[in-house]
Every structure is written in C-alpha cells, then in structure tokens.
Amino acid sequence: MSRVCELTGKGPMTGNNVSHANNKTRRRFLPNLNDTTLQSEALGRSFKLRISAHALRSVDHRGGLDKFLAKAKDTDLSANALKIKKAIKKSGMEADVLS
C-alpha cells in the first residue's frame, strides 16, 4: 500500500535530520494518512478512502466529498477517486453539487 493520499496526491518528502553537532542524515517525511469512510450525497453511498488529515479538512471545508471531487484536478486523484468522480458526473447530480 503506497503512502499517497487518494484525494490530493500528497506523498512522502525527503529532508535531513540535523544533529546538535550539525551532522546531516537523510530522512523521510510521511503524510498523515487515515483510512476514512466518506459519504457521497449524489450517489447515496459511502466510500472507503485512504486520505491525509489535510485532505479530510479540505473535504469538510468544501462541503462534502461530491463538492471536493467536482473541483479537484484529475491528475491529483487516485484511480479509485477518479471512478467516484466520474460516477457522480454520470448520475447527473453535479449541477446540484456545484450550486
């Protein structure tokens, strides 16, 4: 299982551990990923996604999964999230979601 957020594409970053003696060793900064279940109002069902804590706050701020996916770039989304986005568009509820 990769350490990448399914909604934002946020992944591991690299940097240095710097000791008091100023020795530098490489390290990885991992995103804060959580397994969450998000509800789609347009489709009337829930989806289990592995997203970062930052993405969860963004979903809440935008008003739910449907509205978040409507504005999200396709390049940032995982294959699973893209399927959900296309299903929402296909259901015809996108006009209600965007208003």
Side-chain angles (χ1 to χ4, degrees):
M1 193 180 301
S2 64
R3 298 179 189 270
V4 177
C5 175
E6 291 191 58
L7 296 181
T8 59
K10 182 182 283 193
M13 295 175 58
T14 59
N16 288 315
N17 274 332
V18 181
S19 69
H20 186 68
N22 207 26
N23 298 328
K24 296 171 185 70
T25 55
R26 296 304 283 179
R27 62 162 290 181
R28 283 172 44 129
F29 295 95
L30 301 176
N32 182 11
L33 295 179
N34 301 300
D35 292 319
T36 59
T37 303
L38 298 174
Q39 186 74 26
S40 171
E41 296 169 7
L43 300 176
R45 59 176 288 222
S46 58
F47 296 95
K48 195 166 185 177
L49 298 169
R50 189 162 195 225
I51 63 174
S52 64
H54 182 272
L56 184 59
R57 292 187 58 190
S58 298
V59 168
D60 287 340
H61 178 74
R62 289 202 183 151
L65 179 64
D66 300 336
K67 290 183 181 178
F68 180 88
L69 289 175
K71 292 185 178 182
K73 296 178 184 174
D74 289 351
T75 55
D76 292 339
L77 299 175
S78 69
N80 189 20
L82 267 175
K83 286 180 187 176
I84 298 168
K85 182 176 181 176
K86 287 178 182 173
I88 291 170
K89 268 190 181 177
K90 189 176 181 181
S91 72
M93 299 290 284
E94 67 189 57
D96 296 337
V97 169
L98 292 175
S99 60

